[in-house]
Amino acid sequence: MSWIKKLFGSTEQPRTMLDELQTVLVAGYRRIAAEQECAPTVKTSDQQIIDMYQKVGAAFREIAKQRGERLPAGTLNYIVWKFLQVSEMLGDEMAVQHLEYEMQKYLQEGLRPDYRQDLELF
């Protein structure tokens, strides 16, 4: 088999640091969800978890920057986890609407007290 790879080259792409981080991130959310018996369940794909992490995290970081604040990673992890639950229970469209609402609320009033929790994924 190795002579075939040598002849035609390997079609597998080497894993990057980002790939590894995303794998750990998904595993962390899945572990916590299993422990808490909540979303994200198998109804939510790994890619959906990654997409939600990127979208929600970027949105909250941007508002924090505008407010001259810095949100700790554990707090962002917790916020994303809450949005994963909203998305799975109420659908992606509702999660998007909720994100828009929460962005305005954060910008105007500051971070909700119930979002000020630390969620360690690793």
Side-chain angles (χ1 to χ4, degrees):
M1 186 73 164
S2 63
W3 67 271
I4 293 174
K5 284 184 182 179
K6 287 180 183 176
L7 183 60
F8 295 106
S10 175
T11 59
E12 294 180 29
Q13 296 292 326
R15 288 187 54 85
T16 65
M17 192 68 124
L18 177 59
D19 294 330
E20 295 299 327
L21 177 62
Q22 290 175 341
T23 299
V24 170
L25 178 97
V26 168
Y29 281 117
R30 296 241 184 253
R31 176 185 51 79
I32 291 166
E35 290 170 1
Q36 305 268 332
E37 297 182 357
C38 63
T41 67
V42 294
K43 294 177 187 177
T44 302
S45 72
D46 291 355
Q47 189 59 51
Q48 286 172 303
I49 293 171
I50 292 165
D51 292 346
M52 184 69 70
Y53 185 86
Q54 291 171 339
K55 184 173 189 169
V56 172
F60 271 85
R61 279 190 300 274
E62 178 59 32
I63 299 297
K65 183 178 175 182
Q66 289 177 27
R67 291 179 53 85
E69 300 173 356
R70 185 191 160 282
L71 294 174
T75 301
L76 285 171
N77 292 343
Y78 182 80
I79 294 168
V80 171
W81 184 57
K82 298 305 277 183
F83 274 87
L84 286 165
Q85 293 174 40
V86 169
S87 178
E88 190 165 302
M89 291 186 310
L90 303 174
D92 290 339
E93 187 175 318
M94 183 61 184
V96 169
Q97 290 174 4
H98 186 60
L99 180 58
E100 291 170 4
Y101 168 79
E102 290 295 336
M103 293 296 84
Q104 285 302 314
K105 185 169 181 64
Y106 179 28
L107 184 61
Q108 294 170 358
E109 302 172 19
L111 191 65
R112 295 165 49 120
D114 55 316
Y115 281 169
R116 294 183 186 278
Q117 296 190 41
D118 192 43
L119 183 66
E120 294 298 326
L121 298 175
F122 317 113

